[in-house]
């Protein structure tokens, strides 16, 4: 499972984990923590949207050690 930082507003710690992938896209789990309010959302992202987010830097892949710390 790959994990990504979500570039967003300062003061928030948002992460995305890829749960499963197929030809159409991937199931992801989004972890949001803003000012102590935590929210977890499971959703589907199309392959083109996911690749666009990685290409533009909106999603940045975590190093394995950092990803292990949030799991």
């Amino acid at each position: 499972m790959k994990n990504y930082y979500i570039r967003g507003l300062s003061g928030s710690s948002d992460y995305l984990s890829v749960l499963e992938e197929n030809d159409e896209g991937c199931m992801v789990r989004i972890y949001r923590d803003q000012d102590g309010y935590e929210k977890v959302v499971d959703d589907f992202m199309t392959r083109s949207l996911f690749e666009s987010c990685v290409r533009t830097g909106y999603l940045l892949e975590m190093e394995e050690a950092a990803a292990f710390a949030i799991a």
Side-chain angles (χ1 to χ4, degrees), residues 3-4 7 13-14 24 32 40 53 55-56 60 65-66 71:
N3 296 292
Y4 297 83
R7 186 178 71 193
S13 300
D14 301 337
E24 301 294 320
R32 296 194 170 260
V40 178
C53 289
R55 186 175 52 254
T56 60
L60 301 171

Side-chain angles (χ1 to χ4, degrees), residues 1-4 16-19 21 50 61-62 67:
M1 172 173 31
K2 289 190 177 184
N3 296 292
Y4 297 83
L16 179 141
S17 295
V18 177
L19 302 175
E21 295 182 62
F50 182 80
E61 189 170 356
M62 289 184 187

Side-chain angles (χ1 to χ4, degrees), residues 23-68:
D23 293 338
E24 301 294 320
C26 50
M27 283 299 299
V28 297
R29 178 166 288 152
I30 301 169
Y31 302 90
R32 296 194 170 260
D33 181 2
Q34 190 168 15
D35 299 327
Y37 174 74
E38 296 180 6
K39 185 175 181 181
V40 178
V41 176
D42 290 349
D43 206 351
F44 180 81
M45 287 183 77
T46 63
R47 177 137 332 264
S48 62
L49 175 59
F50 182 80
E51 289 173 355
S52 177
C53 289
V54 171
R55 186 175 52 254
T56 60
Y58 186 71
L59 295 176
L60 301 171
E61 189 170 356
M62 289 184 187
E63 294 179 16
E64 193 169 326
F68 183 73

